[in-house]
Amino acid sequence: MRSYYKTNEWSVIEEGFEPQKHEASESIFSLGNGHMGLRANFEEKYTGETLQGTYIAGIYYPDKTRVGWWKNGYPEYFAKVPNAPNWIGIHVLVEGEDLDLHTCKVSDFTRELNMKHGYLERSFTAELKSGKKLRVNARRFVSMVDDEIGAIRYTVKPLNFSGEIEFISFIEGSVVNRDSNYDEKFWEVLNTGAEADLAFLHARTRKSGFEACFSMMVEVSLNGKIIPATSQSLLSESYAGKSTLVSVSSGEEIILWKYAAVLDSLNYTHHQIVEKCKQSVRRAFEKKFDRLFDEHSAKWAVNWTNSDIIIEGDPLAQQGIRFNIFQLNQTYTGRDERLNIGPKGFTGEKYGGSTYWDTEAFLFQFYLSTESDHVARNLLIYRYKHLDKAIENARKLGYHSGAALYPMVTMNGEECHNEWEITFEEIHRNGAIAYAIYNYIRYTGDKKYLAEYGLEVLIAISRFWKQRVNWSERKGLYVMLGVTGPNEYENNVNNNWYTNKMACWTLSYTLEAINFVKKSDPDQYHRIVQKTAFGFEPESQAWQHILDHMFFPELNEEGIFLQQEGFMDKEQRMATDLDPSERPINQHWSWDRILRSVFIKQADVLQGIFCFEDEFSTDTIRRNYEFYEPRTVHESSLSPCIHSILANRIGKFEDAYDLYLRTSRLDLDDYNREVDEGLHITSMGGTWMSVVLGFGGMRIREGMISFNPHLPKKWKSLSFHINYRGRKLNVNISEKKVHVSLIGGEPLQVEINGNRVQCVQDT
Amino acid sequence: MRSYYKTNEWSVIEEGFEPQKHEASESIFSLGNGHMGLRANFEEKYTGETLQGTYIAGIYYPDKTRVGWWKNGYPEYFAKVPNAPNWIGIHVLVEGEDLDLHTCKVSDFTRELNMKHGYLERSFTAELKSGKKLRVNARRFVSMVDDEIGAIRYTVKPLNFSGEIEFISFIEGSVVNRDSNYDEKFWEVLNTGAEADLAFLHARTRKSGFEACFSMMVEVSLNGKIIPATSQSLLSESYAGKSTLVSVSSGEEIILWKYAAVLDSLNYTHHQIVEKCKQSVRRAFEKKFDRLFDEHSAKWAVNWTNSDIIIEGDPLAQQGIRFNIFQLNQTYTGRDERLNIGPKGFTGEKYGGSTYWDTEAFLFQFYLSTESDHVARNLLIYRYKHLDKAIENARKLGYHSGAALYPMVTMNGEECHNEWEITFEEIHRNGAIAYAIYNYIRYTGDKKYLAEYGLEVLIAISRFWKQRVNWSERKGLYVMLGVTGPNEYENNVNNNWYTNKMACWTLSYTLEAINFVKKSDPDQYHRIVQKTAFGFEPESQAWQHILDHMFFPELNEEGIFLQQEGFMDKEQRMATDLDPSERPINQHWSWDRILRSVFIKQADVLQGIFCFEDEFSTDTIRRNYEFYEPRTVHESSLSPCIHSILANRIGKFEDAYDLYLRTSRLDLDDYNREVDEGLHITSMGGTWMSVVLGFGGMRIREGMISFNPHLPKKWKSLSFHINYRGRKLNVNISEKKVHVSLIGGEPLQVEINGNRVQCVQDT
């Protein structure tokens, strides 16, 4: 597959304007800074197909859930991420004629996402219907330093005419979501206003009552000389803007700088938000574009020092991994423990911007390994703070005694997804949340976390598993009926191997954690026993009994862990048997057909093997991989990364590389033909794992970090940075050697291909 | 359980007004005539809780289906039955003070549904806040003779005052559905108008574009003397009415007659409907109330002759069965082959008024046995006419070569339900549609129906089963994965015994039907082969192979047919283990918990045994009944009837009676605490079966009608009428004897308790 975008190790570049690719490019070229983000919509008017998208972290709209088939236990709402008022707009009127790339002739169009410095830049020549030609360049960024600020530099040069150009810079509050069911608006504008040099718009989300204020200021220069402010205010109930008229001659250059501030009610009260927003934009205006940009770019340099991966010899892979790391850093910064990571980040509406198990299962490792520990810890505390709501959620479903079921999808701890087969049955998420605690402690060594927060969560989740299984008289074992595993192309199956495995592991780890806290911190143990009303022996014995008597479906002679009971009754077809025109099957087959087919959406048994790799021999891993990989269609973005890591583990290096490219360039090459809807942000953590855990072969076992790398043929070298227990390590792998250097922190023993070496800092 | 309503063999009577029971009573006292119907809303203003409901057969609103989790194959819309403009309204203002039963003191309140003559009557004394007292009597009916006509006689007598009373008689077009998701209106009013003595309102449903016109005329008498028309017209965009002012003295009597006509676009064009509607109401007005009522009552006398069941010695059972028969006759008359029977008939919004498998599985036998054959035949032809859409529906899901999947829920042949586990998986409905053809021919002997219509439907359904099963290498048998059986408390199960059974039976009956048509009507056979592109031997051999190699889950040693694979892994609890406060579980348990429990919503394996009773020994039936009955919570109205019939079959007569009472008085005694939402119309056919097939023991085998009756202890006698192959039979069963008398038609041999007797007409 030839990439539509130019391959460049630090940039994604589009050359030439193809309107039918525009919505896809709007996703690809998205910008964000953890607090807000936006798709690569054009500043100027565009009457072609476009998915307008401006998003603010933590703000959601509770869409109605109660429908005809509503059943007890269904959540009250489905959270959607509301497309926020658009603050980038700069309409350009050339002697009264609209600049609109849909209606004029466009040439020399380029669009660049510069990942090194974190900006979007676009240049083009437009020939209007009147024959007037102009050259435009627009650069913008949302600041990584002051995450409430965005800035645009918009340059226009008339090529064959002289005359007046009007720039209408505005904030548009009359915005809709594409996923609104009844075209209802999610925002209402409370107020708009303008002062001599500034305009603002204050809006509130319907139902959920979040507020946001948007302010803007503009400055214009002609041939490098600032033009004194002569803007006129344009105001309506849902619109605030400034019009600036500039007389210009052919060949002259106008630059318009637009500064914007976006503040919201997560951080400001109703009464202060407008004033604070005006102050913020004034501060930005005073700093000017270049200084704001330099600060921003310097922060990106730090990000890259922490998390860059360098792949020599494979520009496609290099661009792919950088694109993923760039997006991960844009989406979540770990500054605010109330926030989390939506499947599409700030790049689209789909999946409602809410938190899924993706965070713990696919993203956690990236932040754990590239940021200081508090970032990963914030992700754990996010769930700790939702524990009461998870207990309440379980209670609504009929569980009791402090059992917790974390929501499948959430904005604030409440369940907000409404398919029973997901909400009620995809309970393995509870296991992922427990596993992240284990993973955090394994990586950081911070065992105190158990006493402080972790154990309470583990006990509540173990109680859930205890109540969720039932004893089968027929089998003389515990069974877990009616679940949906990670492979969502199956629903309501019995004894999903992965879920049963996760449940047992949680019970076992909780027992271990209880003993640890009891011994190491009796005061905290006492506090937790009180708080959770822990039932001592009887409760832990019941867990142990389940552990010792859980049913796991297996193909006995062949040593295959069966995805679920009855799996072998399906018609056993291979993904390669599928006609390419039928793929992805989720776009070509009815749901009915998908459910009955053998085809697997994403790693399920293999996800479990990935989590508990050390329990299985290489042979067992290979047998299961060879059974499941041919049946897997990888129609979840979360799938190829796990397969790639396991392929490396068992020495199927070509598979590993093919699967890696698929995850790494999923969005850039639009494998699943849906990138127009937004990027697969949460899978990007999986991509990172497939490099560092897969090709880098990084593992942590009993406090020892080790590397068993294997480079794909094409790669000359691979190097990456790791934050590990207060050290900064650089791992450099080439065909001939593996070098781990200590860049910061105390000396450390590491294991490379089975040999222990001492790393000390170069002096 | 003491009934809230008074027990009377021909009436349902409510004495005293209990506002919290009002919505339930609005359902119970509903009226209908096959073309239209309405809940027992008050004519006068009522500001208390009420579910306004006026419905017109065949009119639906296509509610949006496309939601976030929309998947390929989902239908485009969910059909709702729109609450139509209200034509019964008569507001009463006593010296400017509203008569409103919610705000005044009510005494001597009675409400009667007279089933013999088919009317609703209500009387009460109201004391207004001003202290004025008046006595009111209101009777209304919707004509069974002219099904576009309704009439109300509204009588008012001031008891302690003299003064002016204003009657505002109106048609209200600004109506909503309670089940509208966004409070959107389903109707828009096109026009309203008034003439000297008449008012009308012309409306159209949004999206679906059905039109209906409502017209009304009023007449008023004082002390028996008609008052010359002095009405004032009241018109707005969505309202048309007449105001009549009457001066009255204490003790005098005012009668207001309101006549209404309701015409719709199933029968009239846009251009003619208003004029025709005015003509209709004028005709009714000229006939006057008493004559309209007498005609109507005479038609009810005919209905009762055809379908009455008389139970002596058990007034509760008598009232129960009459209530059921009354509602069945109100809901469907068989006049229009485009219509069918919604689960709530004309009594509520729930389930969208659409056609379910209920028609074939539970209602068909009633119409087959109490009406002339064309009524049941119309029900079959309804499906025949939808065959192309059923093929199209299957095609959307990935089936091919003329396979048909009839919709689970439909208004016009298109699927319009949107839960995948129902729409895609509850495929046993296809079997019920095939079975109704068999049942019709078995009962009527009309084997020509196969060549004319039936065989095409059977072939298309058989093709569906062929494609729906798959070969399990592991089992060496065919399996049917991912289905939902009649017991909807299980979803997406493998090898539901009932569905597998239905599939095999269809294949076998289709093969038989093909051979029959081939021999008996070669021309038609040729036509059908051409039309369906029937594949001869290879196609029929493939069906035979499935027939011979289908997997059926069984508990082998115990001779129990297992509801589905894995059923015995569930915790085996009995319904009697449930705390009564938890029942019905669908109102107290989460869906999650229900799905994983052993509890059965409605007959599933037993439904199959009911259909194919002759294949099983009494012992087998008993074993399965004894296994399933204790696990069944009967939370579908369609459940107890089948259990009751089987209980009679195996001699569990007390069970049979208990279950019968439960189905017979389901709504009158509100077993499932939901009668406020409407009546369980479709289950009423099951009730009828539980009397005639259950206690009456009626069966048809090879053209011979037989009776093996057993009366419940309490019953002195049971008698019912049957239409059978051109004969009218009266079956009279008492403890001592069974007497079958021929009331009309040729002599006939019947079998009574195993003895054949010749029935001849008394002369």
Side-chain angles (χ1 to χ4, degrees), chain A residues 423-437:
Chain A
T423 309
F424 298 159
E425 299 203 334
E426 202 167 332
I427 51 176
H428 65 76
R429 63 199 186 240
N430 243 9
I433 288 163
Y435 189 86
I437 296 171

Side-chain angles (χ1 to χ4, degrees), chain B residues 709-726:
Chain B
H710 188 279
L711 288 197
K713 273 192 207 146
K714 235 182 160 172
W715 296 8
K716 284 198 201 121
S717 73
L718 162 67
S719 83
F720 53 86
H721 287 88
I722 289 292
N723 170 70
Y724 180 70
R725 301 198 176 189

Side-chain angles (χ1 to χ4, degrees), chain A residues 64 69 71-72 181-182 397 399 419-421 468 470 472 475 491-492 569 586 590-592 596, chain B residues 64 71-72 181-182 397 399 418-421 468 470 472 475 491-492 569 586 590 592 596:
Chain A
K64 190 165 179 167
W69 57 93
K71 294 179 180 96
N72 283 334
N181 270 322
Y182 289 79
L397 300 184
Y399 300 86
E419 290 171 283
W420 64 265
E421 63 273 23
R468 188 54 163 76
N470 71 273
S472 165
K475 292 194 163 86
N491 284 160
N492 198 40
D569 280 334
N586 69 17
S590 69
W591 186 235
D592 163 56
R596 285 183 291 117
Chain B
K64 188 165 180 164
K71 295 179 178 97
N72 284 332
N181 269 322
Y182 288 80
L397 300 184
Y399 300 87
N418 49 12
E419 290 171 282
W420 64 266
E421 63 273 22
R468 187 56 164 75
N470 71 274
S472 165
K475 292 195 163 84
N491 283 160
N492 198 40
D569 279 336
N586 69 15
S590 69
D592 164 56
R596 284 183 292 117

Side-chain angles (χ1 to χ4, degrees), chain A residues 652-670:
Chain A
K652 290 187 174 274
F653 301 117
E654 286 185 18
D655 273 27
Y657 181 67
D658 290 348
L659 288 158
Y660 165 72
L661 271 192
R662 192 160 169 164
T663 172
S664 156
R665 297 189 58 87
L666 174 70
D667 289 322
L668 286 177
D669 294 339
D670 201 7

Side-chain angles (χ1 to χ4, degrees), chain A residues 488-508:
Chain A
E488 291 171 325
Y489 286 177
E490 303 279 353
N491 284 160
N492 198 40
V493 301
N494 293 336
N495 293 306
N496 170 258
W497 185 86
Y498 173 80
T499 309
N500 286 13
K501 183 80 195 154
M502 268 290 163
C504 285
W505 172 84
T506 312
L507 295 172
S508 154

